[in-house]
Amino acid sequence: MNLQQASSLVEESIKGLNIDPIASRKEKDGQWNITVKGAPVYLDVFNFASKPETYYFQVMSPLFKVPESRNEEIYGDLLDMNYDMYACAICRKNGWFYILALRPATGLDQTEVNYLIDTVSHYSNDFYSKLTFKYKDVLNLNPTAGAPK
């Protein structure tokens, strides 16, 4: 599957959420930022220079910036939550925690694009609510302030 084919699937999913896919596009081809059920969601179709013929589909949603205190307790909770997740995982990148789904675009279909967007946004909303309630004293309560996009 190439960039155009995967991008068509992503834009169809965005339309299905009653969001304008053209307005959601970012600077580079294959990138969109949307909000689903209150969760910021970043969608990417990309390849690596080392394998330009292979594309990947990625869905990410920022949870919060890595805090400066209570890390051991927070990491333990994140690992427990990670164990219970399907089709995605919690990851840390550039000082932030995210919900992430990443897969090769080969064989990707509309149902799976819809499912991954829904799953990532669901976990993001659920975990953000639970963790910010428990750790409100140390977590960034604005999940997109300063989050890499």
Side-chain angles (χ1 to χ4, degrees):
M1 179 166 293
N2 64 30
L3 176 63
Q4 291 74 26
Q5 293 165 324
S7 293
S8 292
L9 293 173
V10 172
E11 292 204 344
E12 194 61 35
S13 289
I14 294 171
K15 284 181 201 171
L17 295 167
N18 295 317
I19 299 171
D20 181 0
I22 295 169
S24 304
R25 290 178 185 163
K26 300 313 294 172
E27 301 79 36
K28 292 173 66 177
D29 287 341
Q31 294 183 335
W32 304 262
N33 287 1
I34 60 175
T35 300
V36 181
K37 302 174 193 168
V41 178
Y42 310 150
L43 308 168
D44 297 286
V45 175
F46 66 94
N47 63 353
F48 295 103
S50 61
K51 282 187 85 176
E53 71 284 356
T54 303
Y55 280 85
Y56 297 87
F57 174 56
Q58 174 176 274
V59 183
M60 292 178 74
S61 183
L63 284 174
F64 49 83
K65 193 172 182 171
V66 175
E68 295 181 17
S69 61
R70 296 182 71 186
N71 285 338
E72 187 173 331
E73 187 178 357
I74 291 169
Y75 276 83
D77 282 345
L78 291 172
L79 285 170
D80 290 341
M81 291 173 163
N82 204 50
Y83 177 79
D84 292 328
M85 296 171 70
Y86 295 94
C88 52
I90 297 171
C91 70
R92 185 183 71 187
K93 180 180 179 184
N94 298 328
W96 281 78
F97 288 110
Y98 292 87
I99 303 294
L100 169 71
L102 173 64
R103 69 167 305 256
T106 303
L108 188 66
D109 64 24
Q110 196 66 63
T111 300
E112 188 164 12
V113 173
N114 294 344
Y115 173 76
L116 292 175
I117 293 170
D118 184 61
T119 301
V120 167
S121 63
H122 166 76
Y123 284 132
S124 183
N125 277 310
D126 185 40
F127 293 170
Y128 179 79
S129 296
K130 289 174 181 173
L131 291 165
T132 55
F133 178 79
K134 184 173 182 178
Y135 299 106
K136 61 184 165 243
D137 58 325
V138 296
L139 294 182
N140 174 5
L141 297 182
N142 183 352
T144 58
K149 294 183 180 180

